[in-house]
Amino acid sequence: MSGTFFKQSVKPVEPHNKKNSDPAALSAKIDLLLAEMTLEEKAALCSGKDVWHTKSLGRLGIPDLFMADGPHGVRKQDRECDNFGLSDSVPATCFPTASALACSWNRGLMHEIGVALGEECLQEGVDLLLGPGINMKRSPLCGRNFEYFSEDPYLTAELAIPLINGLQTRGPGACLKHFAVNNQEKYRMTVSAQVDERALNEIYLSAFERTIMASGPRAVMTSYNRINGVYAGESIDLISNTLRKRWNYNGLVVTDWGAVNDRVAGIMAGSDLEMPSSGKANDPLLIRAAKENPAVSVAMDDSIRRILTLAFKSRQNRVPGYRCSTQEHHALARKAAAESIVLLKNDASLLPLPENAKIALIGQFAKYPRYQGAGSSLVHPTQLESLYHFARENRKDRVSYADGYPLDSDQIDPELVSEAKTAAAMADIAIIVAGLPESYESEGFDRTHLNLPPNHDHLIREVAAVNKKTVVVLQNGAPVEMPWICDIPVVVENYLSGQAGGSALWEILTGRVSPSGKLAESFPLRLCDTPSYNTFPMGPEQVDYREGIFIGYRHYEKAGLPVLFPFGHGLSYTTFEYGAISADPPRIDFERHKFYQLSISVKNTGAFPGMETVQLYVHNPFGEVIRPEKELRGFNKVFLLPGEKKELHFSLDQSAFSFYSTTTHQWNPGPGLCDILLGSSSADIRIAFPLEIIISDPIVKPDGNPESVNNNKAAHDNLTKSVQNDITKSVQEDFAKKENKNFHANSTMGECRQNVFFRFLYFCVLQYLKKRSRENPRQFDMMRAVLEDLPIKRLVIMSNGIIRFRHIDAFVFWMNKERYHALKTLLGISRKS
Ligand code: BGC
């Protein structure tokens, strides 16, 4: 593997139909079609036909569009359909999930995976893959973090861009999600993320901005939540002003599944397509609004233009009969898994495993790996490997095995522990495969702590007591606390490494491949050290992003808090020497030069071939605003044979030095002296040198502006401490609101359960879900969590229009003790709302 980026293994795709791929011709054709459509047809086209298709219109030759979930594999359902991973899907390559892939820090690899995903979409006739997801990891507790890349927007974008580009070179499109500020699963359908302008732009939107500008995903999916009070899918600020005007995006905007709150407001904001079908529930609302207000009619036409443009283009991109190589994709999944594994600790170079060592393999995850997440991203893998299989196949008589813990419970099983200890005591090295069971992390709910299951922690301690040479391999989608870390010499972070994770792990453990993964997120020592400890999660009404821009390493470094493992950390079996720097002169005026360029030589000074990722951070102490200690602004991964040396090049543009100014509402580099830091992790900086940024017209901040905080630790502490009072206040307000018992259409099923009807409905739906998730009771927990937080208004969409808005209004009246209005509304005599 070389460090060459954007390596492509291009297979020819049928050329597009020249006539139709001419944008002007397609646009003229769509204008003609719009002129032919009735208002009813237009309203209908603005929502899906079923769970995965848009509507076709045979009369006018308008094709449908077929979507399937991603992000780390194609989840095409061809029989029963759902968007929670309950029903099966056709076999597809299950790549490592995003939190694992991000540790590869390899743009070229991401491009290859994008290409493979595109090929599988092509094979399955999927026009749009719902992924990647690029939300920021505000807290390690978010149940869906396994689907997201990082706590850093730059790294996130740099990995998402090649993935999307790769996928789209094959014809099918990517749908970037979840736009935006969707950082907790609890209350995701009701909560308002209260985030300040600077954090919004600098942290939560900037990965979207960079990715959208550089890769042009065919679609963007708006998130369920509200941002500063407004639903993402109805936000003129987010969709019209930011996405479309500021970032020039003219692709499709689709709602998350069942996210529509007010369809007319959505259309007016530029939310083109409602998914999935809502059984025509919203059509009459759109028709009435369009008749009353010509602006709605214009907005609908714009949306239909974007839906049809994508539908026609996607049709041209299809290649009937196309087949891709499942074996090649499996091999790619293995390569990706191996590059994503992070060697966190390797005392006394215990790894790689010596050739003749007797090994005790312990833990059921070694046989039945935890290799992907749960929820809408669930992939039906084409095959599944286990570490156990490869260890036994390669070192039969030297590998013993013990279960260690039960798979379906957190309870300590003394018999299993005792078997494990016996095996460990008789071996040279014990390898424990532990981690988080599926019930711990999933779409639909968040974790409440960072612990491993108690029986995993217990096993690790007991085994380490009988064998000092104990290796812990962790299979989890997000960080965990490691209370036993001082007693364990080796820790390998495997993450959720996809269908080929078994052989990849074996290759790493035995040294066939030297580990090269680097953490894409910080591992905190304790949950209480995390930046949003007091405000995660909050809801159902609002969650306060009091930590501002200080998430991940930006927080730990500013607050001076030690971490378990820092952002960017990852060991290798070999060693690298950072050599001479050659750089442009140490002053730059970005008015006159586009880039500041530098290069560094890196040499493999050890005995193993290996890969190093050189990370470039900028420390920019521009005095007028509080800035992080450092921010990642570049990275470069390189493969080196022992003794080999290569030059790595970096080009930094103005954005590398900028912060988002709430005075100018723009990115601003700020003048002054900053430092360029080059290192092997955020905590292992090998080279630092100053650079002066010259700006002819610096922006002066008026006093009292939130940016005028002194740039030091005290300021950071004040910022986070002052928060506590406000938080307590807003939580109390939340409770007070609940006490008032004022129900509304967005009250959740959980809140409405005190009403006998909803209790009954809740019970019936639960029974149905129990039946549907028969084969996997853990899916049931997820569905229960989703149901608990479901706003009752969404029952209209979820029931595909069987429940009407009128029914919801009537129930709200009823629950608020306005019985007379309730009956009238139910009977359709009047609608008071
Ligand atoms: C998830 C999306 C997913 C969609 C379709 C939603 O519940 O949030 O990420 O793409 O379902 O399955």
mmCIF file of all heavy atoms in Angstrom, residues 51-52 68-71 75 82-85 130-131 144 147-148 177-178 182 185 188-189 221 224 255-258 375-377 443, ligand 1:
data_model
loop_
_atom_site.group_PDB
_atom_site.id
_atom_site.type_symbol
_atom_site.label_atom_id
_atom_site.label_comp_id
_atom_site.label_asym_id
_atom_site.label_seq_id
_atom_site.Cartn_x
_atom_site.Cartn_y
_atom_site.Cartn_z
ATOM 1 N N VAL A 51 -41.054 3.179 1.173
ATOM 2 C CA VAL A 51 -39.906 3.446 2.064
ATOM 3 C C VAL A 51 -38.669 3.909 1.281
ATOM 4 O O VAL A 51 -37.901 4.752 1.745
ATOM 5 C CB VAL A 51 -39.556 2.202 2.910
ATOM 6 C CG1 VAL A 51 -38.372 2.471 3.830
ATOM 7 C CG2 VAL A 51 -40.747 1.773 3.741
ATOM 8 N N TRP A 52 -38.480 3.382 0.065
ATOM 9 C CA TRP A 52 -37.217 3.639 -0.629
ATOM 10 C C TRP A 52 -37.330 4.315 -1.987
ATOM 11 O O TRP A 52 -36.305 4.678 -2.575
ATOM 12 C CB TRP A 52 -36.429 2.325 -0.793
ATOM 13 C CG TRP A 52 -36.163 1.627 0.503
ATOM 14 C CD1 TRP A 52 -36.602 0.387 0.865
ATOM 15 C CD2 TRP A 52 -35.425 2.124 1.629
ATOM 16 N NE1 TRP A 52 -36.190 0.084 2.140
ATOM 17 C CE2 TRP A 52 -35.460 1.131 2.635
ATOM 18 C CE3 TRP A 52 -34.741 3.315 1.887
ATOM 19 C CZ2 TRP A 52 -34.830 1.291 3.874
ATOM 20 C CZ3 TRP A 52 -34.119 3.472 3.130
ATOM 21 C CH2 TRP A 52 -34.170 2.468 4.091
ATOM 22 N N ALA A 68 -31.145 3.414 -0.956
ATOM 23 C CA ALA A 68 -30.891 2.368 0.043
ATOM 24 C C ALA A 68 -29.969 2.947 1.088
ATOM 25 O O ALA A 68 -29.190 3.867 0.814
ATOM 26 C CB ALA A 68 -30.243 1.148 -0.605
ATOM 27 N N ASP A 69 -30.050 2.389 2.272
ATOM 28 C CA ASP A 69 -29.184 2.888 3.331
ATOM 29 C C ASP A 69 -27.743 2.494 3.103
ATOM 30 O O ASP A 69 -27.442 1.470 2.503
ATOM 31 C CB ASP A 69 -29.654 2.358 4.689
ATOM 32 C CG ASP A 69 -30.383 3.454 5.445
ATOM 33 O OD1 ASP A 69 -29.846 4.564 5.492
ATOM 34 O OD2 ASP A 69 -31.485 3.187 5.945
ATOM 35 N N GLY A 70 -26.881 3.299 3.611
ATOM 36 C CA GLY A 70 -25.475 3.064 3.798
ATOM 37 C C GLY A 70 -25.292 3.138 5.287
ATOM 38 O O GLY A 70 -26.194 2.739 6.007
ATOM 39 N N PRO A 71 -24.228 3.729 5.794
ATOM 40 C CA PRO A 71 -23.135 4.273 4.967
ATOM 41 C C PRO A 71 -22.020 3.246 4.672
ATOM 42 O O PRO A 71 -21.338 3.385 3.678
ATOM 43 C CB PRO A 71 -22.561 5.392 5.834
ATOM 44 C CG PRO A 71 -23.409 5.492 7.047
ATOM 45 C CD PRO A 71 -24.188 4.228 7.155
ATOM 46 N N ARG A 75 -27.621 -1.400 1.991
ATOM 47 C CA ARG A 75 -28.722 -2.143 2.622
ATOM 48 C C ARG A 75 -29.947 -2.055 1.724
ATOM 49 O O ARG A 75 -30.857 -1.265 1.944
ATOM 50 C CB ARG A 75 -29.033 -1.590 4.016
ATOM 51 C CG ARG A 75 -30.031 -2.460 4.775
ATOM 52 C CD ARG A 75 -30.127 -2.063 6.223
ATOM 53 N NE ARG A 75 -30.858 -0.838 6.419
ATOM 54 C CZ ARG A 75 -32.154 -0.771 6.721
ATOM 55 N NH1 ARG A 75 -32.860 -1.869 6.872
ATOM 56 N NH2 ARG A 75 -32.739 0.381 6.886
ATOM 57 N N ASP A 82 -38.213 -1.468 5.820
ATOM 58 C CA ASP A 82 -38.296 -0.617 6.999
ATOM 59 C C ASP A 82 -37.010 0.172 7.074
ATOM 60 O O ASP A 82 -36.042 -0.157 6.403
ATOM 61 C CB ASP A 82 -38.440 -1.458 8.285
ATOM 62 C CG ASP A 82 -37.165 -2.195 8.587
ATOM 63 O OD1 ASP A 82 -36.306 -1.633 9.265
ATOM 64 O OD2 ASP A 82 -36.999 -3.345 8.110
ATOM 65 N N ASN A 83 -37.033 1.227 7.862
ATOM 66 C CA ASN A 83 -35.792 2.009 7.940
ATOM 67 C C ASN A 83 -35.093 1.845 9.279
ATOM 68 O O ASN A 83 -34.338 2.705 9.689
ATOM 69 C CB ASN A 83 -36.048 3.487 7.628
ATOM 70 C CG ASN A 83 -36.971 4.134 8.615
ATOM 71 O OD1 ASN A 83 -38.046 3.611 8.861
ATOM 72 N ND2 ASN A 83 -36.577 5.252 9.189
ATOM 73 N N PHE A 84 -35.326 0.730 9.955
ATOM 74 C CA PHE A 84 -34.642 0.537 11.239
ATOM 75 C C PHE A 84 -33.789 -0.725 11.276
ATOM 76 O O PHE A 84 -33.334 -1.131 12.332
ATOM 77 C CB PHE A 84 -35.660 0.490 12.376
ATOM 78 C CG PHE A 84 -36.357 1.808 12.579
ATOM 79 C CD1 PHE A 84 -37.674 1.958 12.214
ATOM 80 C CD2 PHE A 84 -35.663 2.883 13.096
ATOM 81 C CE1 PHE A 84 -38.310 3.179 12.381
ATOM 82 C CE2 PHE A 84 -36.290 4.099 13.261
ATOM 83 C CZ PHE A 84 -37.616 4.253 12.897
ATOM 84 N N GLY A 85 -33.620 -1.360 10.133
ATOM 85 C CA GLY A 85 -32.805 -2.568 10.110
ATOM 86 C C GLY A 85 -33.540 -3.787 10.631
ATOM 87 O O GLY A 85 -32.913 -4.785 10.991
ATOM 88 N N LEU A 130 -27.694 6.270 1.062
ATOM 89 C CA LEU A 130 -27.914 7.220 2.166
ATOM 90 C C LEU A 130 -26.701 7.246 3.095
ATOM 91 O O LEU A 130 -26.641 6.568 4.100
ATOM 92 C CB LEU A 130 -29.194 6.857 2.910
ATOM 93 C CG LEU A 130 -30.434 6.769 2.013
ATOM 94 C CD1 LEU A 130 -31.668 6.399 2.817
ATOM 95 C CD2 LEU A 130 -30.666 8.080 1.271
ATOM 96 N N GLY A 131 -25.731 7.998 2.731
ATOM 97 C CA GLY A 131 -24.509 8.137 3.500
ATOM 98 C C GLY A 131 -23.492 8.889 2.674
ATOM 99 O O GLY A 131 -23.732 9.135 1.486
ATOM 100 N N ARG A 144 -25.017 6.747 18.132
ATOM 101 C CA ARG A 144 -24.777 6.541 16.715
ATOM 102 C C ARG A 144 -23.367 6.952 16.297
ATOM 103 O O ARG A 144 -23.096 7.101 15.105
ATOM 104 C CB ARG A 144 -25.818 7.370 15.960
ATOM 105 C CG ARG A 144 -26.293 6.700 14.722
ATOM 106 C CD ARG A 144 -27.450 7.398 14.099
ATOM 107 N NE ARG A 144 -27.677 6.801 12.809
ATOM 108 C CZ ARG A 144 -28.615 7.191 11.979
ATOM 109 N NH1 ARG A 144 -29.429 8.164 12.302
ATOM 110 N NH2 ARG A 144 -28.772 6.598 10.807
ATOM 111 N N GLU A 147 -21.352 5.476 13.434
ATOM 112 C CA GLU A 147 -21.650 5.849 12.050
ATOM 113 C C GLU A 147 -20.987 7.150 11.641
ATOM 114 O O GLU A 147 -21.134 7.592 10.510
ATOM 115 C CB GLU A 147 -23.162 6.026 11.876
ATOM 116 C CG GLU A 147 -23.877 4.805 11.368
ATOM 117 C CD GLU A 147 -25.322 5.111 11.034
ATOM 118 O OE1 GLU A 147 -25.587 5.673 9.967
ATOM 119 O OE2 GLU A 147 -26.192 4.787 11.855
ATOM 120 N N TYR A 148 -20.339 7.822 12.580
ATOM 121 C CA TYR A 148 -19.720 9.110 12.280
ATOM 122 C C TYR A 148 -18.210 8.991 12.367
ATOM 123 O O TYR A 148 -17.675 8.112 13.028
ATOM 124 C CB TYR A 148 -20.232 10.181 13.242
ATOM 125 C CG TYR A 148 -21.746 10.347 13.211
ATOM 126 C CD1 TYR A 148 -22.480 10.526 14.375
ATOM 127 C CD2 TYR A 148 -22.437 10.293 11.999
ATOM 128 C CE1 TYR A 148 -23.865 10.678 14.341
ATOM 129 C CE2 TYR A 148 -23.813 10.437 11.957
ATOM 130 C CZ TYR A 148 -24.532 10.628 13.128
ATOM 131 O OH TYR A 148 -25.885 10.760 13.090
ATOM 132 N N LYS A 177 -25.442 13.020 5.223
ATOM 133 C CA LYS A 177 -26.413 13.189 6.302
ATOM 134 C C LYS A 177 -25.693 13.395 7.627
ATOM 135 O O LYS A 177 -24.493 13.183 7.694
ATOM 136 C CB LYS A 177 -27.338 11.975 6.366
ATOM 137 C CG LYS A 177 -26.636 10.634 6.698
ATOM 138 C CD LYS A 177 -27.581 9.473 6.455
ATOM 139 C CE LYS A 177 -26.981 8.177 6.957
ATOM 140 N NZ LYS A 177 -27.838 7.014 6.683
ATOM 141 N N HIS A 178 -26.293 13.821 8.710
ATOM 142 C CA HIS A 178 -27.640 14.333 8.866
ATOM 143 C C HIS A 178 -27.479 15.814 9.120
ATOM 144 O O HIS A 178 -26.951 16.198 10.169
ATOM 145 C CB HIS A 178 -28.327 13.674 10.053
ATOM 146 C CG HIS A 178 -28.284 12.172 9.992
ATOM 147 N ND1 HIS A 178 -27.279 11.426 10.559
ATOM 148 C CD2 HIS A 178 -29.123 11.274 9.403
ATOM 149 C CE1 HIS A 178 -27.501 10.140 10.345
ATOM 150 N NE2 HIS A 178 -28.607 10.012 9.644
ATOM 151 N N ASN A 182 -26.980 17.122 14.583
ATOM 152 C CA ASN A 182 -27.675 15.934 15.083
ATOM 153 C C ASN A 182 -26.648 15.120 15.878
ATOM 154 O O ASN A 182 -25.981 14.264 15.349
ATOM 155 C CB ASN A 182 -28.195 15.148 13.870
ATOM 156 C CG ASN A 182 -28.964 13.894 14.238
ATOM 157 O OD1 ASN A 182 -29.411 13.166 13.359
ATOM 158 N ND2 ASN A 182 -29.140 13.610 15.511
ATOM 159 N N GLU A 185 -29.022 10.880 20.104
ATOM 160 C CA GLU A 185 -30.144 10.083 19.618
ATOM 161 C C GLU A 185 -31.378 10.307 20.477
ATOM 162 O O GLU A 185 -32.496 10.360 19.972
ATOM 163 C CB GLU A 185 -29.751 8.610 19.618
ATOM 164 C CG GLU A 185 -28.766 8.266 18.527
ATOM 165 C CD GLU A 185 -29.349 8.495 17.141
ATOM 166 O OE1 GLU A 185 -30.204 7.727 16.702
ATOM 167 O OE2 GLU A 185 -28.942 9.479 16.486
ATOM 168 N N ARG A 188 -34.137 12.818 19.522
ATOM 169 C CA ARG A 188 -33.638 13.401 18.272
ATOM 170 C C ARG A 188 -34.752 14.029 17.436
ATOM 171 O O ARG A 188 -34.501 14.866 16.582
ATOM 172 C CB ARG A 188 -32.873 12.365 17.453
ATOM 173 C CG ARG A 188 -33.713 11.212 16.938
ATOM 174 C CD ARG A 188 -32.905 10.257 16.066
ATOM 175 N NE ARG A 188 -33.703 9.086 15.706
ATOM 176 C CZ ARG A 188 -33.356 8.205 14.798
ATOM 177 N NH1 ARG A 188 -32.226 8.339 14.147
ATOM 178 N NH2 ARG A 188 -34.126 7.165 14.527
ATOM 179 N N MET A 189 -36.011 13.585 17.661
ATOM 180 C CA MET A 189 -37.098 14.122 16.835
ATOM 181 C C MET A 189 -37.724 15.395 17.399
ATOM 182 O O MET A 189 -38.579 15.996 16.758
ATOM 183 C CB MET A 189 -38.174 13.072 16.670
ATOM 184 C CG MET A 189 -37.758 11.973 15.723
ATOM 185 S SD MET A 189 -39.156 10.955 15.337
ATOM 186 C CE MET A 189 -38.585 10.176 13.857
ATOM 187 N N MET A 221 -29.300 15.064 3.321
ATOM 188 C CA MET A 221 -30.453 14.695 4.150
ATOM 189 C C MET A 221 -30.509 15.605 5.375
ATOM 190 O O MET A 221 -29.536 15.704 6.120
ATOM 191 C CB MET A 221 -30.317 13.239 4.604
ATOM 192 C CG MET A 221 -31.509 12.726 5.406
ATOM 193 S SD MET A 221 -31.136 11.146 6.223
ATOM 194 C CE MET A 221 -31.054 10.032 4.842
ATOM 195 N N TYR A 224 -33.416 15.186 11.988
ATOM 196 C CA TYR A 224 -34.700 15.211 12.703
ATOM 197 C C TYR A 224 -34.840 16.432 13.616
ATOM 198 O O TYR A 224 -35.914 16.962 13.802
ATOM 199 C CB TYR A 224 -34.802 13.979 13.612
ATOM 200 C CG TYR A 224 -35.035 12.664 12.905
ATOM 201 C CD1 TYR A 224 -34.104 11.640 12.986
ATOM 202 C CD2 TYR A 224 -36.224 12.431 12.206
ATOM 203 C CE1 TYR A 224 -34.337 10.415 12.376
ATOM 204 C CE2 TYR A 224 -36.457 11.205 11.595
ATOM 205 C CZ TYR A 224 -35.508 10.204 11.684
ATOM 206 O OH TYR A 224 -35.739 8.998 11.085
ATOM 207 N N THR A 255 -35.654 14.866 3.366
ATOM 208 C CA THR A 255 -35.817 14.825 4.825
ATOM 209 C C THR A 255 -35.312 13.487 5.356
ATOM 210 O O THR A 255 -35.312 12.497 4.630
ATOM 211 C CB THR A 255 -37.299 14.912 5.218
ATOM 212 O OG1 THR A 255 -37.960 13.709 4.782
ATOM 213 C CG2 THR A 255 -37.962 16.121 4.615
ATOM 214 N N ASP A 256 -34.904 13.461 6.609
ATOM 215 C CA ASP A 256 -34.662 12.153 7.210
ATOM 216 C C ASP A 256 -36.014 11.440 7.282
ATOM 217 O O ASP A 256 -37.070 12.074 7.216
ATOM 218 C CB ASP A 256 -34.013 12.266 8.598
ATOM 219 C CG ASP A 256 -33.346 10.944 9.004
ATOM 220 O OD1 ASP A 256 -33.647 9.895 8.386
ATOM 221 O OD2 ASP A 256 -32.528 10.933 9.953
ATOM 222 N N TRP A 257 -35.949 10.136 7.429
ATOM 223 C CA TRP A 257 -37.160 9.307 7.302
ATOM 224 C C TRP A 257 -38.166 9.597 8.438
ATOM 225 O O TRP A 257 -37.882 9.316 9.601
ATOM 226 C CB TRP A 257 -36.765 7.841 7.269
ATOM 227 C CG TRP A 257 -36.552 7.302 5.879
ATOM 228 C CD1 TRP A 257 -37.085 6.141 5.379
ATOM 229 C CD2 TRP A 257 -35.781 7.864 4.809
ATOM 230 N NE1 TRP A 257 -36.694 5.973 4.065
ATOM 231 C CE2 TRP A 257 -35.902 7.013 3.684
ATOM 232 C CE3 TRP A 257 -35.029 9.025 4.652
ATOM 233 C CZ2 TRP A 257 -35.288 7.276 2.464
ATOM 234 C CZ3 TRP A 257 -34.415 9.291 3.424
ATOM 235 C CH2 TRP A 257 -34.549 8.421 2.364
ATOM 236 N N GLY A 258 -39.273 10.210 8.040
ATOM 237 C CA GLY A 258 -40.295 10.538 9.035
ATOM 238 C C GLY A 258 -39.998 11.814 9.790
ATOM 239 O O GLY A 258 -40.566 12.053 10.850
ATOM 240 N N GLY A 375 -29.389 -0.592 13.709
ATOM 241 C CA GLY A 375 -30.299 0.438 13.225
ATOM 242 C C GLY A 375 -30.306 0.472 11.710
ATOM 243 O O GLY A 375 -30.078 -0.548 11.054
ATOM 244 N N SER A 376 -30.510 1.659 11.179
ATOM 245 C CA SER A 376 -30.717 1.771 9.728
ATOM 246 C C SER A 376 -29.490 1.388 8.913
ATOM 247 O O SER A 376 -29.592 1.136 7.724
ATOM 248 C CB SER A 376 -31.144 3.193 9.378
ATOM 249 O OG SER A 376 -30.127 4.100 9.736
ATOM 250 N N SER A 377 -28.317 1.329 9.544
ATOM 251 C CA SER A 377 -27.108 1.026 8.763
ATOM 252 C C SER A 377 -26.789 -0.474 8.720
ATOM 253 O O SER A 377 -25.749 -0.863 8.199
ATOM 254 C CB SER A 377 -25.913 1.770 9.367
ATOM 255 O OG SER A 377 -25.631 1.261 10.654
ATOM 256 N N GLU A 443 -28.426 3.199 16.874
ATOM 257 C CA GLU A 443 -29.306 4.296 16.504
ATOM 258 C C GLU A 443 -30.501 4.252 17.459
ATOM 259 O O GLU A 443 -30.897 3.185 17.910
ATOM 260 C CB GLU A 443 -29.782 4.084 15.065
ATOM 261 C CG GLU A 443 -30.760 5.129 14.589
ATOM 262 C CD GLU A 443 -31.112 4.992 13.112
ATOM 263 O OE1 GLU A 443 -30.414 4.237 12.395
ATOM 264 O OE2 GLU A 443 -32.082 5.630 12.693
HETATM 265 C C1 BGC B 1 -31.933 7.436 9.833
HETATM 266 C C2 BGC B 1 -31.199 7.732 8.527
HETATM 267 C C3 BGC B 1 -31.523 6.652 7.537
HETATM 268 C C4 BGC B 1 -33.027 6.627 7.326
HETATM 269 C C5 BGC B 1 -33.478 5.578 6.325
HETATM 270 C C6 BGC B 1 -33.415 7.214 9.615
HETATM 271 O O1 BGC B 1 -34.019 6.736 10.778
HETATM 272 O O2 BGC B 1 -31.731 8.510 10.717
HETATM 273 O O3 BGC B 1 -29.838 7.795 8.745
HETATM 274 O O4 BGC B 1 -30.852 6.885 6.336
HETATM 275 O O5 BGC B 1 -33.655 6.310 8.576
HETATM 276 O O6 BGC B 1 -33.289 4.312 6.844
#
